[in-house]
Amino acid sequence: MTGSLLTECKNLIDGEWCSSSNGKNSDVINPATGENIARIPYSSKEDVHSAIDAARKAFDDGGWRKSPVSERSAILMRLADLIEHDRDRLARLETINTGKSIKQSSNYDLPYLVDNIRFLAGAARNIEGKAMGEYVDEGTSAIRREPIGVVGVITPWNYPLMMVVWRAVPALLMGNTVVLKPASYTPLTTLEFGKLAQIAGIPRGVLNIITGPGPEIGEEMARNSQVDMIAFTGSEEVGRKLSSYGSASLKKISLELGGKAPFVVFKDARLPAAVEGAVVGGLVNNGQDCANSTRYYIHEDMVDEFESKLIEKLKEVKIGNPLDHGTDMGPLISSAHRKRVEDYIKLGMEEGGLLKHGGFEPKIEGCEGGFFISPTVIRTENEESRIVKEEIFGPVYTILSFTDYDDAIRRCNDVIYGLGASVWTSDMNKALHAVRDLRFGTVWVNEHVVVPSEMPWAGYKHSGHGASLSSYSLEEFTNIKHVYFDVSGAVRKKWYYQVFGSER
Ligand code: NAD
């Protein structure tokens, strides 16, 4: 199906493309067919050390760190141009490696992440802080934003290239050097990013990429005292482990973790808009988006109508070969992940849910080995069911009814996650109350999933801390330094009486 030869990939360490030092490799699979499409280095601890040493040296040498931000920005702008120029090739590669539809890769992911880079590269030149000023009567103070040092970036498989942009690009722009580890399922566009970054002019050692087993490489990066910060996007479980590995060296750990987004439809909502929004909110990225709507709280007077209209629309969604432009939805990332989603569906029914739609593995011609699953709708009134509380990360709609505003908001907030939530209503006062009361990093009103480059993407509670996109993501990769200039010129300053001399 791919028509591509098996690709042999290498690590990028100190500007050189190299195999793993132990000679081991692992396979990369196309989730739409189950075919091997590439071999990647199964890197060892020595490789991690080499990558960290290269990043440390590049940081300590100071060329990148001390370069004017305009130069770093220009390099990243060039990289955005190169990615844009290669958009079709990269979109196809992303689709072959993740199973997301080609129309999403080429018309959404690629143009969006190019825009993310351009925004960040521009905003990096416009970082603001307190004005230099006199805060005590004999001195002038200023703030500097400085790079943190060597940043270990660990990314997930659902948006491989976009997550590299969200985490590695702001780190680089602010003068840090980077060791980047992509998810083993989806390293291919990350390695292409490395090639294009070299062409754009990123100096050797400033960006290093290693592939291999997450638990070993990630743990080594988090424990290593030569790494100053970990920027992790992935599951809550691994985020928690990284926090504990990093605690011995007290490094900064920035975490962007899972979600369990509620989708609340009040009685005064425009039902057709809410139904279309639900189809997209639940299925974008084949239902493997941390922002996917998953818990549908629908006012009790309209829950049956919402459910039947949703199912009608879901029947229109075309599941198929993700490389076909007519396909709406491709496979899940792996056979193991599909089993996990299916286990949740079974569990939902054991815990009192009713299967209203889907729940099967569709057979796709030409993609018989793929990990497809149909969009699935479960109706439940068991608020304590694990399908209501835990992240499934698949195209599973859980529909529940609510009685009034307080009931809906309380149940929305009653999960460990706090990434995104949406409310659907034509009453602006109610919307504004919900915006205030929902404990989530993003709240959409009459929409779900949209995040412009200029706005922060950040979690509450177990969805993590820190921010992606916006100028907040640039600040995330800086230390803040206070610089104080004495302006009195005095030998004995007024406050020295505290140590010697008399108080005036
Ligand atoms: P994951 O946590 O399994 O893996 C993420 C990365 O961590 C991979 O590179 C993996 O190799 C590595 N890893 C695995 N075990 C590790 C360990 N013990 N120590 C260090 N690193 C380790 O997550 P995933 O399955 O790749 O991605 C899906 C998860 O990511 C979901 O929970 C989703 O909600 C979350 N996500 C969050 C955001 C966000 O912006 N908040 C964005 C995308 C995905």
Side-chain angles (χ1 to χ4, degrees):
M1 174 190 151
T2 63
S4 63
L5 294 171
L6 195 66
T7 311
E8 294 283 347
C9 301
K10 295 195 165 171
N11 288 329
L12 174 61
I13 299 179
D14 203 15
E16 306 292 334
W17 291 93
C18 44
S19 307
S20 57
S21 54
N22 56 19
K24 286 194 195 167
N25 288 302
S26 62
D27 293 331
V28 179
I29 305 271
N30 175 344
T33 61
E35 293 169 338
N36 284 356
I37 47 173
R39 255 194 295 272
I40 54 167
Y42 190 85
S43 303
S44 63
K45 275 193 182 170
E46 279 101 86
D47 301 313
V48 187
H49 292 158
S50 305
I52 294 171
D53 288 349
R56 184 82 256 164
K57 185 169 179 310
F59 185 79
D60 292 343
D61 286 353
W64 182 249
R65 162 171 74 85
K66 291 184 208 160
S67 62
V69 65
S70 57
E71 280 178 22
R72 298 196 296 266
S73 169
I75 290 173
L76 271 298
M77 286 286 189
R78 254 195 315 275
L79 178 58
D81 292 346
L82 291 167
I83 293 176
E84 187 172 54
H85 182 262
D86 257 359
R87 163 181 157 174
D88 292 345
R89 182 179 71 85
L90 292 170
R92 187 179 157 82
L93 194 58
E94 196 78 314
T95 285
I96 290 170
N97 198 178
T98 61
K100 66 178 78 192
S101 72
I102 190 72
K103 64 180 180 178
Q104 180 187 328
S105 303
S106 55
N107 297 328
Y108 179 71
D109 286 18
L110 263 292
Y112 176 59
L113 65 89
V114 166
D115 182 66
N116 296 162
I117 302 176
R118 289 185 176 141
F119 165 76
L120 291 167
R125 301 181 66 180
N126 195 32
I127 292 287
E128 291 181 359
K130 275 205 163 94
M132 189 164 171
E134 289 68 49
Y135 303 97
V136 295
D137 67 0
E138 291 177 326
T140 295
S141 288
I143 295 288
R144 284 173 61 84
R145 285 271 177 191
E146 297 193 343
I148 291 176
V150 174
V151 180
V153 174
I154 303 175
T155 51
W157 48 256
N158 64 336
Y159 287 97
L161 189 54
M162 196 188 294
M163 292 305 109
V164 168
V165 167
W166 285 20
R167 305 299 253 158
V169 166
L172 291 167
L173 280 163
M174 299 320 285
N176 301 280
T177 58
V178 168
V179 177
L180 169 58
K181 194 210 87 65
S184 302
Y185 284 127
T186 56
L188 301 185
T189 50
T190 302
L191 295 166
E192 293 304 307
F193 177 91
K195 291 178 196 160
L196 296 177
Q198 284 185 306
I199 298 169
I202 299 266
R204 63 184 301 157
V206 168
L207 173 67
N208 305 275
I209 305 175
I210 46 170
T211 60
E216 281 122 82
I217 295 181
E219 178 170 348
E220 187 54 31
M221 281 163 67
R223 287 194 189 279
N224 195 299
S225 61
Q226 296 303 305
V227 175
D228 300 290
M229 172 179 176
I230 294 288
F232 172 75
T233 305
S235 63
E236 190 227 0
E237 182 195 347
V238 174
R240 195 190 298 276
K241 285 185 185 160
L242 287 168
S243 293
S244 90
Y245 304 150
S247 64
S249 55
L250 291 176
K251 57 174 60 73
K252 179 171 181 178
I253 312 262
S254 167
L255 300 175
E256 307 246 314
L257 309 176
K260 188 72 187 170
F263 184 108
V264 187
V265 182
F266 289 106
K267 201 173 165 183
D268 52 26
R270 280 177 62 217
L271 198 59
V275 169
E276 296 244 338
V279 173
V280 176
L283 293 190
V284 70
N285 213 45
N286 304 342
Q288 302 165 119
D289 185 317
C290 51
N292 278 135
S293 41
T294 60
R295 300 179 283 148
Y296 295 80
Y297 291 103
I298 316 297
H299 189 271
E300 58 186 352
D301 290 353
M302 61 207 294
V303 62
D304 292 334
E305 191 183 355
F306 176 88
E307 181 187 289
S308 64
K309 292 210 154 103
L310 174 69
I311 291 170
E312 254 170 61
K313 286 277 168 205
L314 289 176
K315 287 181 185 157
E316 292 174 24
V317 170
K318 190 163 175 282
I319 307 171
N321 178 341
L323 283 174
D324 291 345
H325 281 268
T327 291
D328 296 317
M329 186 178 150
L332 299 185
I333 191 67
S334 66
S335 158
H337 186 56
R338 179 172 62 178
K339 167 140 191 344
R340 180 188 135 95
V341 173
E342 288 172 338
D343 286 348
Y344 267 112
I345 295 171
K346 280 189 211 129
L347 185 73
M349 292 189 289
E350 283 162 20
E351 292 182 339
L354 291 175
L355 181 66
K356 294 300 192 98
H357 178 71
F360 61 90
E361 297 179 2
K363 297 291 162 235
I364 307 296
E365 204 186 322
C367 294
E368 285 77 9
F371 314 126
F372 295 88
I373 188 166
S374 60
T376 299
V377 177
I378 299 176
R379 174 86 167 262
T380 186
E381 293 306 333
N382 179 4
E383 185 66 26
E384 297 312 311
S385 174
R386 283 175 57 198
I387 61 166
V388 180
K389 300 292 183 200
E390 297 175 14
E391 187 179 44
I392 300 174
F393 222 52
V396 181
Y397 292 78
T398 305
I399 299 192
L400 306 108
S401 64
F402 70 88
T403 50
D404 59 26
Y405 175 90
D406 289 339
D407 178 35
I409 300 295
R410 181 184 52 74
R411 289 159 66 191
C412 286
N413 285 333
D414 190 22
V415 289
I416 58 170
Y417 296 109
L419 201 52
S422 67
V423 290
W424 297 74
T425 175
S426 46
D427 177 345
M428 232 355 110
N429 289 337
K430 195 183 287 165
L432 287 169
H433 283 126
V435 164
R436 180 197 60 200
D437 295 339
L438 287 166
R439 300 196 58 224
F440 293 80
T442 297
V443 177
W444 296 279
V445 177
N446 297 327
E447 184 52 291
H448 200 99
V449 173
V450 179
V451 187
S453 300
E454 293 81 354
M455 291 294 121
W457 178 244
Y460 280 32
K461 303 195 286 188
H462 289 215
S463 292
H465 40 73
S468 283
L469 298 177
S470 76
S471 49
Y472 298 106
S473 76
L474 294 161
E475 291 177 5
E476 181 84 0
F477 291 95
T478 63
N479 281 322
I480 191 162
K481 182 184 275 181
H482 168 216
V483 188
Y484 180 90
F485 302 90
D486 170 64
V487 294
S488 71
V491 172
R492 184 168 293 187
K493 315 281 171 20
K494 283 185 193 164
W495 68 277
Y496 287 4
Y497 72 86
Q498 292 187 51
V499 177
F500 58 92
S502 58
E503 192 177 351
R504 282 171 298 155

Coordinates of all heavy atoms in Angstrom, one line a residue, residues 154-159 163 166 181-184 212-215 218-219 232-236 238 241-242 245 256-259 289-290 391 393 419 457 463, ligand 1:
I154 N 10.6 14.9 25.0 CA 10.0 13.6 24.7 C 8.6 13.7 24.2 O 7.8 14.4 24.9 CB 10.0 12.7 26.1 CG1 11.4 12.7 26.6 CG2 9.5 11.3 25.8 CD1 11.5 12.0 28.0
T155 N 8.3 13.2 23.0 CA 7.1 13.4 22.4 C 6.2 12.2 22.2 O 6.7 11.1 22.1 CB 7.3 14.1 21.0 OG1 8.3 13.3 20.3 CG2 7.9 15.5 21.1
P156 N 4.9 12.3 22.0 CA 4.0 11.2 21.9 C 3.8 10.9 20.4 O 4.3 11.6 19.5 CB 2.7 11.7 22.5 CG 2.7 13.2 22.1 CD 4.1 13.6 22.1
W157 N 2.9 9.8 20.1 CA 2.8 9.4 18.8 C 1.6 10.0 18.1 O 1.4 9.8 16.9 CB 2.6 7.8 18.7 CG 1.7 7.2 19.7 CD1 2.0 6.6 20.9 CD2 0.2 7.2 19.6 NE1 0.8 6.2 21.5 CE2 -0.2 6.5 20.8 CE3 -0.7 7.7 18.7 CZ2 -1.6 6.3 21.1 CZ3 -2.1 7.5 19.0 CH2 -2.5 6.8 20.1
N158 N 0.7 10.7 18.7 CA -0.5 11.1 18.1 C -0.4 12.3 17.1 O -1.1 12.4 16.1 CB -1.7 11.4 19.1 CG -1.4 12.5 20.0 OD1 -0.2 12.9 20.3 ND2 -2.4 13.1 20.6
Y159 N 0.5 13.3 17.5 CA 0.8 14.4 16.5 C 2.3 14.5 16.5 O 2.9 15.4 17.0 CB 0.2 15.7 17.0 CG -1.3 15.8 16.9 CD1 -2.1 15.5 17.9 CD2 -1.8 16.2 15.7 CE1 -3.5 15.6 17.8 CE2 -3.2 16.3 15.5 CZ -4.0 16.0 16.6 OH -5.4 16.1 16.4
M163 N 4.0 17.9 17.8 CA 4.5 18.0 19.2 C 6.0 18.3 19.2 O 6.4 19.0 20.2 CB 4.2 16.7 19.9 CG 2.8 16.4 20.1 SD 1.9 17.7 21.0 CE 0.9 18.4 19.7
W166 N 5.8 22.1 19.0 CA 5.3 22.7 20.2 C 6.4 22.7 21.3 O 6.3 23.6 22.2 CB 4.1 22.0 20.7 CG 2.8 22.3 19.9 CD1 2.8 22.7 18.7 CD2 1.5 22.1 20.4 NE1 1.4 22.9 18.3 CE2 0.6 22.4 19.3 CE3 0.9 21.6 21.5 CZ2 -0.8 22.4 19.4 CZ3 -0.5 21.5 21.6 CH2 -1.3 21.9 20.5
K181 N 13.6 12.9 21.8 CA 13.2 11.5 21.6 C 11.8 11.4 21.2 O 10.9 11.6 22.0 CB 13.4 10.8 22.9 CG 13.4 9.2 22.7 CD 12.9 8.4 23.8 CE 11.4 8.3 23.8 NZ 10.8 7.5 22.7
P182 N 11.6 11.0 19.9 CA 10.2 10.8 19.5 C 9.6 9.5 20.0 O 10.4 8.6 20.4 CB 10.3 10.8 17.9 CG 11.7 10.3 17.7 CD 12.5 10.7 18.9
A183 N 8.3 9.3 19.9 CA 7.7 8.0 20.3 C 8.2 7.0 19.3 O 8.3 7.2 18.1 CB 6.2 8.1 20.2
S184 N 8.4 5.7 19.7 CA 9.0 4.7 18.9 C 8.0 4.3 17.8 O 8.4 3.9 16.7 CB 9.3 3.5 19.7 OG 10.2 3.8 20.7
G212 N 14.4 5.0 20.2 CA 14.6 3.8 20.9 C 13.6 3.7 22.1 O 12.7 4.5 22.1
P213 N 13.9 2.8 23.0 CA 12.9 2.4 24.0 C 12.6 3.6 24.9 O 13.5 4.1 25.6 CB 13.5 1.2 24.7 CG 14.9 1.3 24.5 CD 15.1 2.0 23.1
G214 N 11.3 4.0 25.0 CA 11.0 5.1 25.9 C 11.4 5.0 27.3 O 12.0 5.9 27.9
P215 N 11.1 3.8 28.0 CA 11.4 3.7 29.4 C 12.9 3.9 29.7 O 13.3 4.6 30.6 CB 11.0 2.3 29.7 CG 9.8 2.0 28.7 CD 10.2 2.7 27.5
G218 N 14.1 7.6 28.1 CA 13.4 8.7 28.8 C 13.9 8.8 30.2 O 14.2 9.9 30.8
E219 N 14.0 7.6 30.9 CA 14.5 7.6 32.3 C 15.9 8.2 32.4 O 16.2 9.0 33.2 CB 14.5 6.2 32.8 CG 15.0 6.2 34.3 CD 14.7 4.8 35.0 OE1 14.0 4.0 34.5 OE2 15.3 4.7 36.1
F232 N 8.0 17.2 28.4 CA 7.3 15.9 28.1 C 5.9 16.1 27.6 O 5.1 16.8 28.3 CB 7.4 15.0 29.3 CG 6.6 13.7 29.1 CD1 7.0 12.7 28.3 CD2 5.3 13.6 29.7 CE1 6.3 11.5 28.1 CE2 4.6 12.4 29.5 CZ 5.1 11.4 28.7
T233 N 5.5 15.5 26.6 CA 4.1 15.5 26.2 C 3.7 14.0 26.0 O 4.4 13.3 25.2 CB 3.8 16.2 24.9 OG1 4.3 17.5 25.0 CG2 2.3 16.3 24.5
G234 N 2.7 13.5 26.8 CA 2.4 12.1 26.7 C 1.4 11.8 27.8 O 0.6 12.6 28.3
S235 N 1.4 10.5 28.3 CA 0.4 10.1 29.2 C 0.7 10.5 30.6 O 1.9 10.8 31.0 CB 0.4 8.5 29.2 OG 1.6 8.0 29.6
E236 N -0.3 10.5 31.4 CA -0.2 10.9 32.8 C 0.7 10.0 33.6 O 1.6 10.4 34.4 CB -1.6 10.9 33.5 CG -1.7 11.5 34.8 CD -2.5 10.6 35.8 OE1 -2.9 9.5 35.4 OE2 -2.6 11.0 36.9
V238 N 3.3 8.2 32.5 CA 4.7 8.4 32.2 C 5.2 9.8 32.8 O 6.3 9.9 33.3 CB 5.1 8.2 30.7 CG1 6.5 8.6 30.4 CG2 4.8 6.8 30.2
K241 N 6.1 9.3 36.2 CA 7.4 8.6 36.4 C 8.6 9.6 36.2 O 9.5 9.7 36.9 CB 7.6 7.5 35.4 CG 6.8 6.3 35.7 CD 7.1 5.2 34.7 CE 6.2 4.0 35.0 NZ 6.0 3.1 33.9
L242 N 8.4 10.4 35.1 CA 9.5 11.4 34.8 C 9.7 12.4 35.9 O 10.8 12.8 36.2 CB 9.2 12.1 33.5 CG 9.4 11.3 32.2 CD1 8.8 11.9 31.0 CD2 10.8 11.0 32.0
Y245 N 11.8 10.6 38.4 CA 13.2 10.4 38.0 C 14.0 11.8 38.1 O 15.1 11.8 38.4 CB 13.3 10.0 36.5 CG 12.6 8.7 36.2 CD1 12.1 8.5 34.9 CD2 12.4 7.6 37.1 CE1 11.5 7.4 34.5 CE2 11.8 6.5 36.7 CZ 11.3 6.4 35.4 OH 10.6 5.2 35.0
E256 N 2.8 18.0 29.7 CA 1.5 18.2 28.9 C 1.0 16.8 28.8 O 1.5 16.0 28.0 CB 1.8 18.8 27.6 CG 2.6 20.0 27.6 CD 1.9 21.2 27.2 OE1 1.2 21.1 26.1 OE2 1.9 22.2 27.8
L257 N -0.1 16.5 29.6 CA -0.5 15.1 29.7 C -1.9 14.9 29.2 O -2.4 15.6 28.3 CB -0.4 14.7 31.2 CG 0.9 15.0 31.8 CD1 0.9 14.7 33.3 CD2 2.1 14.3 31.1
G258 N -2.6 13.9 29.7 CA -3.8 13.4 29.0 C -5.0 14.3 29.3 O -4.9 15.3 30.0
G259 N -6.2 13.9 28.7 CA -7.4 14.7 28.9 C -8.6 13.8 29.0 O -8.5 12.6 28.7
D289 N -6.8 12.3 20.2 CA -6.4 13.7 20.4 C -6.6 13.9 21.9 O -7.7 13.6 22.4 CB -7.2 14.6 19.6 CG -6.7 16.1 19.6 OD1 -6.4 16.5 20.8 OD2 -6.7 16.7 18.6
C290 N -5.6 14.5 22.6 CA -5.8 14.7 24.0 C -7.0 15.7 24.3 O -7.5 15.7 25.4 CB -4.5 15.3 24.6 SG -3.9 16.7 23.7
E391 N -9.0 8.2 30.6 CA -8.7 8.5 29.2 C -8.7 7.2 28.4 O -7.9 6.4 28.6 CB -7.4 9.2 29.1 CG -7.1 9.8 27.7 CD -5.8 10.5 27.5 OE1 -4.8 10.0 28.1 OE2 -5.8 11.6 26.9
F393 N -8.7 7.3 24.8 CA -7.9 7.7 23.6 C -8.3 6.9 22.4 O -7.4 6.4 21.7 CB -6.4 7.5 24.0 CG -5.6 8.6 23.5 CD1 -5.9 10.0 23.8 CD2 -4.4 8.4 22.7 CE1 -5.1 11.0 23.3 CE2 -3.6 9.4 22.2 CZ -4.0 10.8 22.5
L419 N -7.9 19.4 30.8 CA -7.2 20.0 29.6 C -8.2 20.9 28.8 O -7.9 22.1 28.6 CB -6.7 18.8 28.8 CG -5.6 19.1 27.7 CD1 -4.4 19.8 28.4 CD2 -5.1 17.8 27.1
W457 N -1.9 26.5 25.2 CA -2.5 25.2 25.4 C -1.9 24.6 26.6 O -0.7 24.3 26.7 CB -2.2 24.3 24.2 CG -2.8 22.9 24.3 CD1 -2.1 21.7 24.4 CD2 -4.2 22.6 24.3 NE1 -3.0 20.7 24.5 CE2 -4.3 21.2 24.5 CE3 -5.4 23.3 24.3 CZ2 -5.5 20.5 24.6 CZ3 -6.6 22.6 24.4 CH2 -6.6 21.2 24.5
S463 N -3.7 17.0 34.0 CA -3.3 17.2 32.6 C -2.0 18.0 32.4 O -1.6 18.2 31.3 CB -4.4 18.0 31.9 OG -5.6 17.2 31.8
Ligands
NAD1 P1 3.3 7.8 26.4 O1 3.3 8.5 27.7 O2 3.1 6.4 26.3 O3 4.6 8.1 25.6 C1 5.1 9.4 25.3 C2 6.6 9.4 25.1 O4 7.2 8.9 26.3 C3 7.0 8.5 24.0 O5 8.1 9.1 23.4 C4 7.5 7.2 24.8 O6 8.5 6.5 24.1 C5 8.1 7.8 26.0 N1 8.1 6.9 27.2 C6 7.3 5.8 27.4 N2 7.6 5.3 28.6 C7 8.5 6.1 29.2 C8 9.2 6.1 30.5 N3 8.9 5.1 31.4 N4 10.0 7.1 30.7 C9 10.2 8.1 29.8 N5 9.7 8.1 28.6 C10 8.8 7.2 28.3 O7 2.1 8.6 25.5 P2 1.6 8.2 24.1 O8 0.9 7.0 24.2 O9 2.8 8.4 23.1 O10 0.7 9.5 23.8 C11 -0.6 9.5 24.2 C12 -0.8 10.4 25.4 O11 -0.3 11.7 25.2 C13 -2.2 10.6 25.8 O12 -2.4 10.5 27.2 C14 -2.5 12.0 25.3 O13 -3.6 12.6 26.0 C15 -1.2 12.7 25.6 N6 -1.0 13.9 24.8 C16 -1.1 15.1 25.5 C17 -1.0 16.3 24.8 C18 -1.1 17.6 25.4 O14 -0.9 18.6 24.8 N7 -1.5 17.7 26.7 C19 -0.7 16.3 23.4 C20 -0.6 15.0 22.8 C21 -0.8 13.8 23.5

